[in-house]
Amino acid sequence: SIPATSTPREAITFSAKLRLNPKTTDKQITIIVNDILDNLGLQHVADTIIGGGPLMKGGLSGGERKRVQCGVELVTNPSLLVLDEPTSGLDSYSAQSLMEVLKKIANAGATVIVTIHQPPPPVVRQIDNLLLLMSGRLLYNGPMSDVEDKFTERNCPKPSDYNIADWILEVAQTNTIDELGKMGFFDDQQNGQKQSKSVAVARAESINPSFRHVGILIQTRLLFDREVKKLYRDKFGFVIKVVSGLMFGFLYGFIFFGVGRSSYEQYPEVQGSFGAMTNLLISTLFGVAQGSLSEFPADRPVFLREYSTNHYSVIPYFLAKFCVECVTILLQVGVQQLAGFFLMGFKMNFFSFLAVNFMLAIASTSIGVFIGSTAENPAVASELMPALIVPQLLFSGFFIQVNLIPEFLRWAQYLCSLTYASRLATLFEFGDCTTFACQDLLENNGVYQMSSAAYWFILLAIAAVFRLSSVVILKKKATF
């Protein structure tokens, strides 16, 4: 849940600037960040990109990444730090190094709670107190140094060739709850519960719930800077988008070469030009929507962690992503239109058609973000995408004219962003054409049902509704 395109220094600094007192100076933040990097043993990789990957240099080990996650939370000097299986997936040395770091944090005065599974002896030695639960019942609660004696008193002495953690699992898995109860393992259940409750109450009273964010403008600027760095460092995905847009633009351009230069006297000429512009719109629809659907689930865990830990509010996050998204979409759509528009020879203004494609792309990405924020599983999101996109092709007037669709289904056309984009493009291309073929297409596809201003407004409204819905859904999911 740490951005792969950031460095440890940037990730910790980002957290510090958003979560520390707004009066904290940049110099003070630099001192705090360097101190955390030193204590976590990350100074030698402080400026290495965390994630690595194609066209991104660097990449931290698993243990280093988990230490960065700890460092991000340490900027506020928390009195309580909870980690869920931080050593899982790490080799024994990395696990030991991470636990030594957590031990330092505990010795500095913080309470560190760790859920851990089958730790090796070096990790066990870093644990001060142990709480064992079995089926919701308290098996042991006390100092780690006393656990072996406790098991010996219950007629379960640890064999000399066993690690204490392995022996605990052995006893728990080879005996039923009733058998363990008869041995006396659950005798301290009530005392442990009372002690835990009293500690929890004392801790809750000692924590100051007040928190003050930095301003929205600062949040937006910091998030925007991070998004720009992400775009610059993760070049592979951006290059693929631009190159694929260029290739599809040339492909459509050569297939429909010169269709817009005809006189539009014959219906096949009009239909050919209409098919050319519709294919460009469909390419825009699928290209950007699928991209946003694949990217957002990857960013979703980062947002949920940072929002739930008071890094920023929802609006600056979406605003920063939207600003960068607009630039990338404009480049992606722009190169496709440059490649295809002039080869097809349309009569409409290039920038008018570019604006239609851009608005369709914004609406499509909004749908993709909405699906990504709703479905927690990327596979489920991928399954939902065709259900929302494919119907738009059927109601766009390309495969069948709108007036031929049964009346009881015709209402669905007003839910589709492609319908409005297609009608705008059709109006721009054939609006000044007085031939029977042009007017027949305009009438049968319902282009004159609304004004061009209404089509623009509806496209904008579709994008806004899905974006705002995504904001509400993510905010609800991130609120615990």
Side-chain angles (χ1 to χ4, degrees), residues 9-151:
R9 189 186 306 278
E10 290 170 349
I12 298 173
T13 301
F14 178 83
S15 179
K17 288 185 175 181
L18 288 172
R19 300 170 73 190
L20 293 179
N21 190 308
K23 295 181 180 180
T24 307
T25 64
D26 289 343
K27 184 177 180 180
Q28 290 173 322
I29 289 176
T30 300
I31 294 173
I32 292 171
V33 171
N34 284 328
D35 184 53
I36 292 174
L37 290 170
D38 287 334
N39 289 328
L40 296 179
L42 292 170
Q43 198 65 256
H44 65 292
V45 292
D47 299 307
T48 301
I49 293 176
I50 293 171
L55 296 182
M56 281 197 301
K57 297 179 180 179
L60 304 186
S61 67
E64 290 169 338
R65 292 184 190 185
K66 295 200 174 187
R67 277 182 275 164
V68 173
Q69 291 179 335
C70 292
V72 167
E73 301 305 325
L74 289 176
V75 295
T76 58
N77 192 22
S79 56
L80 178 64
L81 193 63
V82 182
L83 300 98
D84 183 21
E85 296 195 19
T87 60
S88 296
L90 302 181
D91 58 74
S92 58
Y93 176 76
S94 298
Q96 180 181 349
S97 300
L98 178 60
M99 289 300 292
E100 288 174 352
V101 169
L102 296 177
K103 182 71 171 182
K104 290 181 181 178
I105 297 171
N107 290 337
T111 299
V112 181
I113 300 175
V114 176
T115 60
I116 199 163
H117 178 69
Q118 207 167 1
V123 171
V124 172
R125 286 194 290 268
Q126 305 299 329
I127 299 174
D128 294 321
N129 295 284
L130 178 66
L131 187 147
L132 294 175
L133 293 175
M134 182 177 179
S135 299
R137 301 188 65 181
L138 191 61
L139 191 65
Y140 175 79
N141 183 19
M144 186 70 208
S145 57
D146 295 344
V147 66
E148 188 172 339
D149 294 337
K150 190 76 170 182
F151 272 65

Side-chain angles (χ1 to χ4, degrees), residues 11 21 183 273 362 415 443:
N21 190 308
M183 296 178 191
S273 186
I362 294 297
L415 303 177
E443 290 289 344

Side-chain angles (χ1 to χ4, degrees), residues 134 139 151 156-157 166-176 180 183 185:
M134 182 177 179
L139 191 65
F151 272 65
C156 294
D166 294 332
W167 180 240
I168 291 172
L169 289 177
E170 177 81 13
V171 172
Q173 292 176 348
T174 57
N175 295 277
T176 66
L180 292 172
M183 296 178 191
F185 273 102

Side-chain angles (χ1 to χ4, degrees), residues 5 220-235 238 320-321 323-325 327-328:
T5 52
T220 306
R221 179 179 61 81
L222 291 172
L223 286 163
F224 179 79
D225 290 344
R226 189 172 72 175
E227 290 296 321
V228 171
K229 289 178 181 177
K230 175 184 176 182
L231 182 65
Y232 172 75
R233 289 170 177 170
D234 188 13
K235 303 181 184 69
F238 179 67
K321 288 190 73 69
C323 290
V324 176
E325 190 178 89
V327 176
T328 58

